[in-house]
């Protein structure tokens, strides 16, 4: 018994209190925002009444604390021991969920447990993170071995696919955050880059497909931008991964020169789609790259060529698939996801109202409970996905800066903690946690600000709801528990 | 462990990306929250339903306290178009039914509201005027169903009500603001009312008060969620100020009676204060037809009338003053030393000079000043002007003499607007040397001689003629005539309390007063003589292309005058025919408070005398 006591004392001493303080600060501000978002001008409100969402959120916060403390008392080696079992159990649960769940607004992700509804997808994240970190943390793991890398990817993609089956695309997309962790663990940067490029091609290409460039109706802005990106990325990779400068300058010079002259010709002489010229430039560049690969016997040129081919193929197939393969309602869903139409019924309403709410906050905001847009229900989902609107409206620019600053501090702190882990598995888990938080903040706040597609995922510690709050708490506190045990390695 | 070290630089890449992301979001927040007010305005129009509270417009009463204009409640129906989306076809039909309008009218009105050229203040998010001036009965029908049409709202406001059919030109009226009014003053919104004519227009800012506003919170479905911050930002309407006119309603009514069937004007002024006691312009109209939804049609009909009933002839009619003007000439000649009271000029049936002849009527000759005024001798004043303009000892040139003459006229309030507190006043016409230099190849005293008898280029408004009477009654000064005696809780503009002295000394005024007294006791105005008080007067018979205009200018009593009056009857013939008797009745009514039996009879006979005006004459 004495040994156990000793260990508990050790935990308090080695616990990272900075993260705890950030966690509590974010929860406090989050609760205020939920109060603001659900306050009713007419009925006033007792924030501690459990019939209200602010009251219920107190329950979630209190239980989260309990949950966190419980996790801190668990020996961290247990996480390692049970991670595969946990992962397997969650896969089964995720698989079963769509069959058990009731349809809530088109989503099949909620399970009814007694009086509460829980969302298994929110808890699957920590299980996946534990599993991936155990697998990748083993001493014989080498990310540069393709089957090792493939298994890591599969561990991530399988739950992602199961969540897509629950029609929770947003929650599923969160799993792409693990690639940030993979990048830290040595995944070639170009894979991350290629992935980001693919997203960019798709988003930009579809988003701006119907817009005209420079008033020339013949040119599709989306296509022009994608072609320009492919050309510039190719040139960039040549510069980064190959030695001689001359071919780089040659491709860059011809590419930019031809595109610009075609653009001017199209503007002032005969309007035509400049994308054809750009496509020609890309194809010639690809040929040139393969020629260089053969001539100089350098595989890198070929890889860059393949990148360009892949880019073109991806763009055209995505474009084709969207316009020809997908049914109308599916196209609408994609466009909604990209924020081209926010609500099939009332185009642009949600994001416009979110911007109005935030923009009306000004420097200092309207003051706690004085926000009108959120409370009068102009902003959709104002206590869950669009909770940041309440911060913007009531606390103004200063309040937003404080909240974003706290999130940034948390993320940087998590990187710091991850880097000090003695085991690779601890570090991998830490980066997974950091990546998930970063992704949530990036997409959620970006969506509210009109910078990211409208993907319904919660803002950690702010959005109302037990599942997400418990999920984030478990994710964070397991890492804090792992971190608290870091010295054991030294003592042993 | 190899991986740790090899890739640990990537913590900076990831950390840097996080920092960059937050910076980008902060820039975006900066743009949204601090660079533009649009979102704030948008949010306000989203969430705040600003219900305007219209103040009661000030009432208007006459100098004796009789209430002339007051308010009656009426109901306007407003609509917020963006909230109409949820309205079904059946709702629309029910709405039309309860308002008693047709579906076609509804659609047409919606198009009108959305037309930004006709309705520059249009926005689908703010209240737009749908229907105006419903009576209490019409409204009660709609009120029972209003909860079913959340896009529609009711605003109570007041419309004008007139107690009497008189004084239309002075009172004026109110009407909906036009685009120009909205442009000129932010206070107005489409559908507001503004004074269009008369004191309603000239005292608009005092009468209208300040609109109040009640800020209500409205949720995304258009439901009202109470008042914003317990009404901290609400503003109560400030009622308009009441006006007391200097007009004596009974005098005004008498004047309008006397002018029935004739074109022209009567203006009476209290000399000591400049207060206008009555201001009649004939033909007139009943101000009560200019309220309600019939205003537009009636306004159109009146403006199309060839006799121009909307024209306030008292301040907009510019007439040759005829002989009433001779008093101003006598004052000028006396002051300039051209004549003395004993200077006599011969008049052999008029003013003869070479081939030039200005006719006169039979009277003794030669005459000194006082009887010359009394008999209204043309010759006397022609000679006066002749000697003035040709006096090379005093004036180097005719032009210089003309300029001096003009300065006298202007000092008596001619040639420029007097500044009465009514809109649309005209300035009349006093020629100057430049004018003749410009329009005549050469000119001299003889060329312009008719200005001395109030003919030729000289034109005055009836108000200016009445003001001449007041100036003489005051022996040398006037206070700018005005129709508003008191604005509730506000001192009168100093313009209406300051004395304007003419260039002529009080001593010289006495001679002219004597002359005007002579005209009543034994001259052209003898019918104005009465046993109760001493009347002073001067007739005017202004030559005209058609029949002469009949004019009278006078005041009474001679000492401590209480009233100065000008009468101008278009094509009324001799001054003595219409001008003198009408002027006498006005003075009697005001000074005695009532008309004697004989005078009442006379008044009735004048009321029934009609002058027929061919359309070619005006």
């Amino acid at each position: 018994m004495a040994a156990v006591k000793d260990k508990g004392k050790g935990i308090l001493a080695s616990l990272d209190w900075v993260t705890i303080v950030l966690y509590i600060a974010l929860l406090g501000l989050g609760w205020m925002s939920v109060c603001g978002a659900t306050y009713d001008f007419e009925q006033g409100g007792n924030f501690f009444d459990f019939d209200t969402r602010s009251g219920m959120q107190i329950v979630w916060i209190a239980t989260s604390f309990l949950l966190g403390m419980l996790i801190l008392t668990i020996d961290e080696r247990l996480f390692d021991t049970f991670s595969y079992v946990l992962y397997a159990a969650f896969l089964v649960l995720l698989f079963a969920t769509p069959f058990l769940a009731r349809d809530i607004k088109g989503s099949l992700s909620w399970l009814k447990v007694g009086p509460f509804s829980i969302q298994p997808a929110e808890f699957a994240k920590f299980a996946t993170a534990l599993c991936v970190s155990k697998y990748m943390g083993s001493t014989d793991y080498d990310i540069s071995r393709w089957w090792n890398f493939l298994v890591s990817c599969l561990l991530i993609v399988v739950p992602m696919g199961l969540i897509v089956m629950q029609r929770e695309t947003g929650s599923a997309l969160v799993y792409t955050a693990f690639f940030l962790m993979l990048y830290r663990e040595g995944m070639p940067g170009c894979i991350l880059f290629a992935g980001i490029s693919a997203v960019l091609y798709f988003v930009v290409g579809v988003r701006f497909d119907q817009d005209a460039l420079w008033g020339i109706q013949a040119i599709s802005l989306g296509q022009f931008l994608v072609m320009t990106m492919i050309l510039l990325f190719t040139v960039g990779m040549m510069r980064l991964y190959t030695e001689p400068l001359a071919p780089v300058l040659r491709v860059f010079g011809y590419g930019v020169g031809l595109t610009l002259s075609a653009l001017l010709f199209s503007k002032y002489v005969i309007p035509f789609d400049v994308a054809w010229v750009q496509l020609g430039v890309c194809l010639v560049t690809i040929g040139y790259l393969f020629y260089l690969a053969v001539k100089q016997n350098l595989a890198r040129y070929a890889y860059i060529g393949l990148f360009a081919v892949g880019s073109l193929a991806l763009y055209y197939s995505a474009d084709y698939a969207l316009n020809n393969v997908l049914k109308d309602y599916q196209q609408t869903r994609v466009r909604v996801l990209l924020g081209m139409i926010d609500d099939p019924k009332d185009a642009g309403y949600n994001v416009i109202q979110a911007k109005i709410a935030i923009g009306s906050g000004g420097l200092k905001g309207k003051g706690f409970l004085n926000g009108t847009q959120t409370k009068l229900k102009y902003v959709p989902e104002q206590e869950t996905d669009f909770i940041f609107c309440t911060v913007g409206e009531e606390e103004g620019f200063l309040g937003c800066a404080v909240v974003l600053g706290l999130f940034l501090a948390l993320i940087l702190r998590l990187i710091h903690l991850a880097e000090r882990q003695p085991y690779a598995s601890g570090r991998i888990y830490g980066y997974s946690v950091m990546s998930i938080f970063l992704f949530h903040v990036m997409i959620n706040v970006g969506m509210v600000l009109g910078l990211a597609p409208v993907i319904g995922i919660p803002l950690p510690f702010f959005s109302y709801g037990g599942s997400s709050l418990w999920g984030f708490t478990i994710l964070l506190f397991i890492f804090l528990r792992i971190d608290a045990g870091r010295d054991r390695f030294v003592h042993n | 462990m190899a991986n740790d070290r090899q890739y640990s630089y990537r913590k900076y890449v990831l950390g840097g990306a996080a920092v960059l992301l937050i910076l980008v979001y902060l820039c975006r927040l900066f743009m949204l929250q601090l660079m533009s007010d649009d979102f704030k305005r948008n949010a306000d129009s989203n969430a705040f339903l600003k219900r305007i509270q219209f103040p009661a417009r000030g009432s208007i009463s006459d100098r004796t306290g009789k209430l002339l204009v007051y308010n009656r409640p009426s109901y306007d129906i407003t609509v917020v178009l963006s909230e109409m989306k949820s309205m079904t076809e059946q709702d629309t039909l029910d709405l039309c039914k309860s308002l008693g309008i047709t579906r076609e009218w509804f659609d047409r009105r919606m198009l009108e509201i959305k037309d930004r050229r006709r309705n520059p203040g249009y926005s689908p998010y703010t209240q737009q005027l749908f229907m105006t001036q419903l009576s209490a009965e019409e409204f009660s029908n709609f009120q029972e169903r209003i909860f079913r049409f959340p896009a529609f709202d009711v605003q109570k406001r007041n419309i004008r009500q007139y107690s009497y059919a008189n004084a239309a030109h002075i009172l004026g009226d109110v009407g909906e603001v036009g685009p120009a009014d909205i442009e000129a003053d932010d206070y107005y919104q489409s559908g507001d009312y503004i004074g269009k004519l008369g004191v309603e227009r000239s005292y608009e800012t005092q009468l209208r008060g300040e609109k109040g506003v009640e800020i209500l919170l409205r949720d995304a479905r258009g439901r009202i969620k109470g008042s914003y911050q317990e009404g901290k930002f609400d503003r109560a309407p400030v009622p308009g100020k009441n006006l007391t006119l200097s007009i004596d309603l009974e005098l005004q009514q008498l004047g309008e009676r006397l002018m029935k069937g004739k074109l022209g004007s009567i203006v009476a002024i209290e000399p000591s204060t400049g207060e206008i006691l009555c201001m009649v312009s004939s033909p007139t109209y009943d101000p009560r037809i200019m309220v309600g939804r019939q205003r537009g049609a009636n306004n159109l009909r009146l403006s199309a009338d060839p006799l121009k009933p909307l024209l306030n002839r008292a301040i907009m009619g510019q007439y040759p003053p005829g002989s009433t003007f001779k008093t101003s000439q006598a004052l000028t000649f006396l002051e300039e030393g051209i004549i003395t009271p004993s200077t006599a000029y011969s008049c052999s049936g008029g003013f003869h000079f070479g081939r030039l002849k200005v006719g006169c009527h039979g009277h003794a000759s030669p005459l000194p000043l006082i009887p010359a005024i009394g008999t209204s001798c043309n010759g006397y004043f022609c000679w006066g002007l002749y000697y003035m303009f040709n006096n090379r000892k005093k004036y180097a040139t005719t032009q210089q003499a003309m300029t001096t003459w003009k300065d006298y006229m202007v000092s008596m309030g001619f040639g420029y607007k007097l500044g009465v507190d009514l809109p649309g006043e005209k300035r009349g016409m006093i020629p100057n040397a430049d004018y003749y230099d410009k329009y005549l190849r050469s000119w001299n005293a003889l060329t312009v001689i008719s200005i001395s008898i109030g003919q030729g280029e000289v034109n005055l408004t009836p108000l200016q003629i009445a003001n001449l009477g007041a100036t003489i009654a005051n022996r040398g000064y006037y206070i700018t005539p005005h129709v508003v005696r008191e604005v509730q809780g506000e001192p009168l503009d100093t313009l209406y309390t300051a004395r304007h002295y003419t260039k002529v000394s009080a001593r010289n005024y006495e001679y002219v007063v004597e002359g005007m007294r002579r005209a009543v006791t034994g001259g052209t105005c003898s019918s104005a003589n009465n046993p109760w008080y001493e009347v002073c007067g001067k007739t005017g018979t202004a030559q005209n292309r058609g029949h002469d205009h009949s004019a009278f200018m006078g005041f009474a009593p001679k000492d401590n005058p209480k009233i100065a009056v000008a009468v101008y009857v278009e094509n009324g013939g001799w001054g003595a025919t219409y001008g003198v008797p009408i002027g006498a009745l006005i003075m009697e009514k005001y000074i005695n408070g009532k008309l004697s039996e004989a005078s009442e009879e006379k008044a009735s006979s004048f009321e029934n005398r009609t002058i027929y005006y061919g359309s070619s004459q005006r």
Side-chain angles (χ1 to χ4, degrees):
Chain A
M1 284 308 283
V4 174
K5 242 183 187 173
D6 229 358
K7 209 159 77 180
K9 206 174 156 193
I11 280 174
L12 283 186
S14 54
L15 196 60
D16 185 58
W17 290 99
V18 174
T19 309
I20 301 275
V21 167
L22 289 172
Y23 170 77
I24 291 171
L26 284 167
L27 274 182
L29 291 173
W31 182 68
M32 270 177 67
S33 304
V34 170
C35 291
T38 56
Y39 181 74
D40 190 304
F41 280 128
E42 271 185 322
Q43 290 160 9
N46 178 1
F47 301 126
F48 303 98
D49 182 346
F50 293 141
D51 286 341
T52 66
R53 295 216 147 177
S54 48
M56 273 314 284
Q57 185 74 350
I58 291 182
V59 174
W60 302 131
I61 289 172
T63 49
S64 293
F65 276 133
L66 286 175
L67 203 57
M69 279 189 270
L70 193 71
I71 289 167
L72 290 182
T73 60
I74 297 174
D75 188 318
E76 80 275 9
R77 283 171 297 195
L78 282 179
F79 301 130
D80 192 59
T81 313
F82 288 106
S83 57
Y84 287 161
V85 179
L86 213 55
Y87 180 75
F90 265 102
L91 283 191
V92 172
L93 185 58
L94 286 178
F95 180 77
T97 300
F99 302 104
L100 303 173
R102 278 193 314 149
D103 189 322
I104 296 177
K105 289 190 213 161
S107 161
L108 294 173
S109 64
W110 292 91
L111 285 184
K112 205 119 171 83
V113 180
F116 301 112
S117 291
I118 62 157
Q119 214 179 0
E122 289 296 336
F123 301 97
K125 284 176 217 164
F126 87 87
T128 307
L130 278 176
C131 176
V132 170
S133 48
K134 180 182 169 81
Y135 174 68
M136 288 176 66
S138 65
T139 43
D140 56 350
Y141 179 86
D142 184 353
I143 197 164
S144 56
R145 281 203 294 267
W146 70 268
W147 67 89
N148 276 173
F149 180 61
L150 188 69
V151 171
S152 328
C153 287
L154 279 176
L155 289 177
I156 296 164
V157 170
V158 169
M160 193 171 165
L162 291 174
I163 294 171
V164 169
M165 306 267 279
Q166 303 173 4
R167 300 198 209 138
E168 278 289 330
T169 328
S171 301
L173 283 173
V174 173
Y175 284 75
T176 56
F178 282 105
F179 284 91
L180 291 178
M181 175 274 290
L182 290 179
Y183 170 72
R184 165 61 186 88
E185 292 306 312
M187 178 182 79
C190 58
I191 293 181
L192 193 63
F193 182 75
I196 293 172
S197 304
V199 172
L200 274 178
Y201 297 153
F202 184 71
V203 170
V204 171
V206 175
R207 176 78 178 77
F208 300 106
D209 190 42
Q210 301 303 321
D211 295 336
L213 169 72
W214 201 9
I216 311 167
Q217 291 304 322
I219 304 179
S220 152
L221 178 63
Q223 201 172 8
F224 179 84
L225 288 175
V226 170
M227 288 298 173
T228 309
M229 277 193 290
I230 293 175
L231 194 65
L232 291 180
F233 289 166
T234 306
V235 173
M237 286 178 120
M238 285 171 74
R239 176 79 192 86
L240 213 60
Y241 294 116
T242 62
E243 280 296 312
L245 199 59
V248 180
L249 291 178
R250 205 168 292 142
V251 172
F252 183 74
Y254 279 114
V256 172
L258 281 170
T259 304
L260 277 182
S261 28
L263 198 56
L264 291 171
F265 186 83
S266 180
K267 173 79 180 172
Y268 294 110
V269 190
I270 303 164
F272 73 104
D273 195 345
V274 176
W276 292 112
V277 173
Q278 292 180 301
L279 182 62
V281 170
C282 286
L283 291 176
V284 171
T285 307
I286 290 165
Y288 180 61
L289 284 166
F290 284 124
Y291 163 77
L292 284 175
V294 173
K295 191 182 162 206
Q296 300 182 9
N297 200 16
L298 259 175
R300 286 184 167 182
Y301 280 118
Y303 290 145
I304 297 174
L306 282 175
F307 168 78
V309 171
S311 297
L312 287 176
L314 186 93
Y315 171 63
Y316 279 109
S317 60
D319 201 49
Y320 180 81
L322 182 66
N323 287 319
N324 303 56
V325 178
L326 293 185
K327 302 211 168 64
D328 274 355
Y329 75 93
Q330 290 170 318
Q331 289 188 23
T332 306
R333 282 191 74 86
V334 172
R335 296 205 163 90
V336 168
L337 197 67
L338 292 179
M340 293 164 73
I341 29 177
D342 300 294
D343 176 352
K345 270 179 274 172
D346 195 354
Y349 178 82
N350 291 359
V351 169
I352 288 172
Q353 292 300 340
K355 279 200 258 180
I356 288 173
I358 292 189
S360 66
L363 179 68
K364 291 178 180 165
K366 298 175 184 171
F368 183 53
L369 301 185
N370 284 337
T372 53
Q373 304 304 295
T374 45
K375 268 169 263 336
L376 295 170
K377 312 217 178 343
Y378 286 94
V379 177
E381 314 282 331
Q382 79 264 24
E383 75 274 23
T384 54
D385 295 347
F386 282 82
I387 187 87
F388 197 68
C389 292
T390 306
V391 182
E393 191 182 13
E394 299 199 338
E395 314 306 332
F397 180 73
L398 296 177
C400 289
V402 167
V403 169
L404 289 180
L406 286 172
F407 274 119
L408 182 62
L410 179 68
I411 283 161
L412 296 179
R413 185 70 191 170
L414 287 175
I415 291 177
H416 172 73
L417 297 186
E419 287 292 337
R420 75 181 185 189
Q421 298 308 309
Y423 296 112
S425 62
R427 183 182 67 238
I428 292 165
Y429 184 80
Y431 267 103
S432 300
V433 174
M434 182 286 283
S435 302
I436 288 168
F437 282 128
L438 181 61
F439 190 86
H440 272 274
V441 172
M442 176 175 88
I443 295 297
N444 182 285
V445 178
M447 158 184 91
V448 169
L449 295 180
L451 292 177
V454 179
I455 297 173
I457 57 172
L459 184 63
F461 314 125
F462 275 70
S463 293
Y464 170 80
S467 290
S468 67
L469 187 51
W470 283 9
F472 289 122
T473 302
I474 295 171
L475 203 56
L476 185 66
F477 275 75
I478 287 180
F479 182 53
L480 287 178
R481 184 65 193 84
I482 291 170
D483 176 62
R486 66 189 180 281
D487 293 335
R488 193 199 301 274
F489 178 71
V490 182
H491 293 311
N492 284 1
Chain B
M1 288 303 283
N3 281 350
D4 298 7
R5 299 291 155 254
Q6 192 186 346
Y7 295 111
S8 72
Y9 75 91
R10 287 187 172 177
K11 69 180 177 193
Y12 297 113
V13 178
L14 291 170
V19 171
L20 191 70
L21 179 79
I22 299 299
L23 283 181
V24 168
Y25 284 2
L26 284 177
C27 288
R28 174 71 170 176
L29 280 167
F30 188 83
M31 272 167 58
L32 287 179
Q33 298 187 300
L34 303 177
M35 298 297 279
S36 149
D37 277 343
D38 287 355
F39 294 111
K40 177 112 191 69
R41 273 198 295 275
N42 250 317
D44 290 355
S45 79
N46 254 349
F48 298 144
L49 176 70
K50 290 187 179 162
R51 189 173 280 165
I52 306 258
Q53 304 199 299
F54 290 96
R57 199 173 170 86
S59 65
I60 304 174
S61 45
D62 89 333
R63 69 186 291 123
T64 61
K66 290 191 186 77
L67 191 60
L68 305 181
V69 186
Y70 58 96
N71 300 310
R72 175 165 66 90
S74 88
Y75 301 88
D76 288 354
I77 304 217
T78 60
V79 60
V80 177
L81 264 65
S82 64
E83 288 170 14
M84 273 181 54
K85 282 177 199 146
S86 62
M87 232 172 129
T88 63
E89 181 60 29
Q90 188 55 42
D91 288 341
T92 311
L93 287 174
D94 286 354
L95 177 92
C96 292
K97 202 169 146 219
S98 58
L99 282 171
I101 55 174
T102 63
R103 184 63 220 263
E104 291 70 45
W105 193 92
F106 178 90
D107 291 336
R108 206 169 53 237
R109 182 64 197 143
M110 284 296 154
L111 288 179
E112 280 171 14
I113 290 173
K114 285 184 217 161
D115 184 348
R116 275 181 207 272
R117 265 176 307 141
R118 297 175 65 167
N119 183 12
Y122 171 71
S123 153
Y125 300 104
T126 60
Q127 300 200 342
Q128 303 294 318
L129 206 59
F130 178 69
M131 245 179 128
T132 58
Q133 303 189 359
L134 268 70
S135 68
E137 306 84 67
E138 289 172 305
F139 168 64
S140 66
N141 204 8
F142 178 65
Q143 193 177 25
E144 292 162 15
R145 297 183 178 79
I146 191 160
F147 69 93
R148 290 185 43 203
F149 316 114
F152 288 82
D153 198 10
V154 173
Q155 293 192 328
K156 184 185 162 198
R157 66 163 81 193
N158 296 305
I159 60 170
R160 291 308 235 184
Q161 188 80 334
Y162 299 84
S163 319
Y164 303 93
N166 311 99
H169 295 108
I170 303 164
L171 299 173
D173 60 357
V174 294
E176 265 186 47
V177 287
D181 300 316
I182 300 174
E183 190 88 353
D185 188 343
D186 285 345
Y187 179 84
Y188 300 104
Q189 280 179 304
S190 180
D192 281 357
Y193 289 93
I194 188 171
K196 293 282 185 187
L197 292 169
V199 292
E200 293 276 18
R201 169 140 164 218
S202 51
Y203 288 87
E204 165 68 14
T205 48
Q206 288 93 333
L207 283 169
R208 75 184 181 194
E210 271 306 316
K211 279 188 274 198
V213 65
E214 186 188 7
I215 303 176
L216 299 172
L217 288 167
R218 174 178 57 180
D219 76 5
R221 295 197 193 149
R223 289 174 301 209
I224 300 301
K225 308 290 266 184
S227 69
Y228 180 55
Q229 302 217 345
E230 280 100 51
K232 206 162 83 184
F233 297 100
D234 290 3
R235 221 168 348 104
V238 180
K241 291 171 174 157
N242 298 334
L243 297 187
T244 307
L245 299 186
S246 58
I247 300 294
D248 182 318
L249 179 72
E250 285 186 24
L251 197 64
Q252 180 77 19
Q253 282 171 328
L254 174 66
E256 289 181 17
R257 244 180 90 197
L258 296 174
M259 289 302 287
K260 227 174 240 174
K262 308 154 195 78
L263 297 184
S265 176
I266 303 172
V267 178
I269 300 175
E270 182 176 68
S272 58
T273 59
E275 289 173 6
I276 297 175
L277 301 168
C278 77
M279 179 185 271
V280 178
S281 174
S282 183
T284 182
Y285 58 92
D286 187 340
R288 290 175 293 195
I289 65 172
M290 298 297 254
V291 293
R293 275 179 272 163
Q294 301 312 310
R295 181 182 185 274
N298 285 328
N299 196 32
L300 205 66
R301 186 170 55 75
L302 290 177
S303 28
D305 190 326
L307 296 181
K308 297 190 164 71
L310 288 176
L311 189 76
N312 184 356
R313 286 172 162 80
I315 57 172
M316 292 163 158
Q318 302 178 94
Y319 303 103
S323 302
T324 60
F325 197 62
K326 286 173 183 164
T327 51
S328 70
Q329 302 308 295
L331 292 165
T332 307
F333 304 154
L334 284 166
E335 192 70 18
E336 282 295 285
I338 307 299
I339 58 169
T340 66
S342 54
T343 304
Y345 293 125
S346 71
C347 169
S348 45
F351 173 75
H352 299 272
F353 200 100
R355 277 183 296 163
L356 183 72
K357 179 176 185 290
V358 179
C360 192
H361 42 87
H363 56 73
S365 171
L367 282 175
L369 177 64
I370 289 165
I373 294 174
T375 57
S376 194
C377 172
N378 283 344
Y380 190 94
F381 296 94
C382 290
W383 281 118
L385 192 78
Y386 176 81
Y387 285 118
M388 177 175 172
F389 278 25
N390 287 321
N391 189 333
R392 286 292 161 272
K393 281 187 206 127
K394 253 182 113 72
Y395 320 105
T397 59
T398 313
Q399 272 85 353
Q400 220 172 73
M402 180 85 209
T403 301
T404 307
W405 177 84
K406 182 221 46 173
D407 289 345
Y408 273 91
M409 296 302 112
V410 169
S411 80
M412 294 178 197
F414 308 147
Y416 291 93
K417 289 178 188 177
L418 276 167
V420 71
D421 48 356
L422 287 172
E425 189 192 1
K426 291 282 193 297
R427 59 189 286 191
M429 169 73 190
I430 292 295
N432 60 20
D434 289 345
Y435 177 86
Y436 289 118
D437 287 345
K438 193 172 165 194
Y439 292 103
L440 300 176
R441 211 176 308 141
S442 71
W443 62 277
N444 55 36
L446 294 175
T447 333
V448 304
I449 201 76
S450 57
I451 61 176
S452 66
I453 54 168
Q455 298 282 161
E457 288 74 21
V458 171
N459 271 333
L460 301 185
T461 64
L463 180 70
Q464 284 170 324
I465 301 174
N467 191 51
L468 171 63
T471 313
I472 298 169
N474 286 337
R475 276 61 168 182
Y477 69 86
Y478 68 92
I479 293 164
T480 305
H482 48 280
V483 294
V484 171
R485 189 181 204 196
E486 195 193 328
V487 180
Q488 180 192 17
E490 214 177 81
L492 211 56
D493 193 326
T494 51
L495 174 67
Y496 302 124
T497 52
R499 291 179 175 190
H500 299 271
Y501 283 90
T502 68
K503 287 167 71 82
V504 182
S505 60
R507 185 174 40 89
N508 286 328
Y509 271 96
E510 291 298 347
Y511 303 122
V512 173
V513 170
E514 274 317 316
M516 286 174 69
R517 179 65 190 147
R518 179 71 63 87
V520 174
T521 53
T524 51
C525 305
S526 45
S527 74
N529 206 3
N530 67 55
W532 307 298
Y533 47 84
E534 289 184 296
V535 177
C536 300
K538 182 75 201 77
T539 51
T541 308
Q543 282 171 13
N544 185 33
R545 272 167 302 183
H547 205 41
D548 290 348
H549 296 318
S550 170
F552 170 77
M553 180 266 291
F555 59 88
K558 183 178 155 196
D559 297 314
N560 294 320
K562 288 205 164 52
I563 180 168
V565 64
V567 179
Y568 208 97
V569 180
E570 292 180 27
N571 312 107
W574 294 105
T577 319
Y578 283 100
V580 179
I582 291 176
L585 286 168
I586 291 288
M587 290 189 276
E588 181 185 341
K589 169 75 184 165
Y590 185 68
I591 294 172
N592 288 356
K594 60 177 175 43
L595 292 179
S596 68
E597 232 167 87
S599 298
E600 187 58 56
E601 222 167 89
K602 206 160 140 196
S604 297
S605 89
F606 270 99
E607 184 184 352
N608 296 323
R609 279 166 73 173
T610 303
I611 301 175
Y612 292 97
Y613 297 91
S615 56
S616 63
Q617 274 176 317
R618 285 301 309 166

